[in-house]
Amino acid sequence: MSERPKFPEFFVTQPSPCPYLPGRFERKLFTHITPDKPRATVDQLLVNGFRRSQHIAYTPYCISCHACVSVRVVAQVFEPSRSQRRIQMRNHDIRAERRPPVPTAEQFALFRHYIERRHADGGMSDMGVLDYAGMIEDTMVDTMIVEYRLPKGAQEDRGRQEDRGRLVGVALQDRLSDGISMVYSFFDPDLADRSLGTHMIMDAIASLGVKPYLYLGYWIQRSDKMSYKERFKPLEMLTPQGWIART
């Protein structure tokens, strides 16, 4: 007899300081993603509010706080705003290359530059090259990495001569049954006028084809760090009644 696939066992973390709401503590409900878990079960976790970090799928489990809300963009009816269209035009020269989730020294150098400039006091500030490699390649789902490059000889290229052009952004994405989950992304903070974070989200929406959703993770209404997600409309949020439109 063949062995039955194992279904998820769930665990709860100890309370730790919330990185988004000062003075609060967070807990997470999590399960390990392993090869013996049914692929469809893992997919259903990820399309229903769980997030993935390497071999872990997790969701907030804060009894007295429900500020973290899963959100997704309805890609088929997404209409870029005027400012988003300007960002698309500004970045028309950037090339997106979709690749298997393989870490490189070039990616890590950009990651460290981004973290040191944007999140020096965050939980990723002490990540080394092995930590970065694990974040990229430790996956049990259909994962890809998207590299964003300036053309060789572009004004911002600073005289660099890489044959593939200067790397200015990276997005780690999971392919799901009904769309794409944005796992993590980073970009060159020196190119603030290009709004590369917005550009990468719009590129991901454009890449979906017939699949309907781009999952952006958690949104917190009172967190300035999360406010950018509200600019991608129509946006749906996960509630106890299921996914509903955010008005």
Side-chain angles (χ1 to χ4, degrees):
M1 294 179 62
S2 60
E3 185 178 351
R4 288 188 175 184
K6 295 181 180 179
F7 289 87
E9 294 180 289
F10 293 94
F11 308 90
V12 179
T13 64
Q14 292 296 316
S16 60
C18 177
Y20 298 106
L21 299 177
R24 297 199 181 188
F25 287 82
E26 67 169 2
R27 300 177 79 185
K28 290 184 174 70
L29 179 72
F30 72 94
T31 186
H32 296 278
I33 305 173
T34 52
D36 54 1
K37 300 293 194 308
R39 185 67 174 268
T41 300
V42 174
D43 183 85
Q44 283 303 301
L45 288 175
L46 297 178
V47 302
N48 284 286
F50 277 72
R51 298 288 288 166
R52 184 186 69 83
S53 176
Q54 296 176 260
H55 297 309
I56 298 291
Y58 68 90
T59 189
Y61 194 69
C62 308
I63 303 302
S64 60
C65 177
H66 305 284
C68 292
V69 179
S70 294
V71 292
R72 67 186 185 185
V73 183
V74 185
Q76 302 301 315
V77 289
F78 169 71
E79 288 287 344
S81 65
R82 182 178 302 177
S83 64
Q84 288 169 339
R85 289 195 296 270
R86 286 197 295 267
I87 291 169
Q88 285 179 312
M89 294 176 61
R90 197 177 306 144
N91 292 294
H92 72 279
D93 56 339
I94 288 183
R95 184 178 72 257
E97 300 177 353
R98 287 167 170 81
R99 300 177 174 278
V102 177
T104 67
E106 186 183 24
Q107 295 167 14
F108 179 67
L110 180 61
F111 170 77
R112 288 305 318 171
H113 183 45
Y114 170 81
I115 291 294
E116 288 163 8
R117 287 284 300 276
R118 291 294 188 94
H119 302 287
D121 58 347
M124 295 176 136
S125 60
D126 59 351
M127 282 180 62
V129 64
L130 294 180
D131 302 308
Y132 175 79
M135 181 177 75
I136 299 300
E137 65 187 2
D138 288 352
T139 176
M140 290 290 175
V141 300
D142 186 4
T143 300
M144 65 180 168
I145 197 163
V146 188
E147 296 183 344
Y148 295 87
R149 294 181 179 276
L150 288 172
K152 186 176 179 180
Q155 181 178 359
E156 299 104 327
D157 203 28
R158 298 175 182 164
R160 302 182 188 190
Q161 298 299 316
E162 292 95 337
D163 290 339
R164 295 165 59 202
R166 177 183 165 195
L167 182 69
V168 296
V170 173
L172 185 65
Q173 302 175 355
D174 287 344
R175 296 184 182 95
L176 306 179
S177 59
D178 63 356
I180 287 175
S181 173
M182 298 289 284
V183 179
Y184 191 71
S185 60
F186 54 93
F187 51 84
D188 191 335
D190 296 335
L191 302 180
D193 59 338
R194 279 185 174 263
S195 300
L196 290 169
T198 296
H199 173 71
M200 289 191 289
I201 291 176
M202 288 193 293
D203 176 73
I205 293 172
S207 75
L208 281 167
V210 298
K211 291 190 174 182
Y213 303 117
L214 181 71
Y215 291 85
L216 294 181
Y218 300 117
W219 167 75
I220 299 175
Q221 187 169 20
R222 287 169 288 171
S223 172
D224 292 340
K225 295 179 181 179
M226 302 283 195
S227 61
Y228 72 91
K229 298 180 183 184
E230 298 178 82
R231 297 196 287 269
F232 296 91
K233 301 175 181 179
L235 195 67
E236 290 186 343
M237 51 195 294
L238 185 60
T239 73
Q241 291 73 44
W243 289 97
I244 63 172
R246 183 178 186 276
T247 57

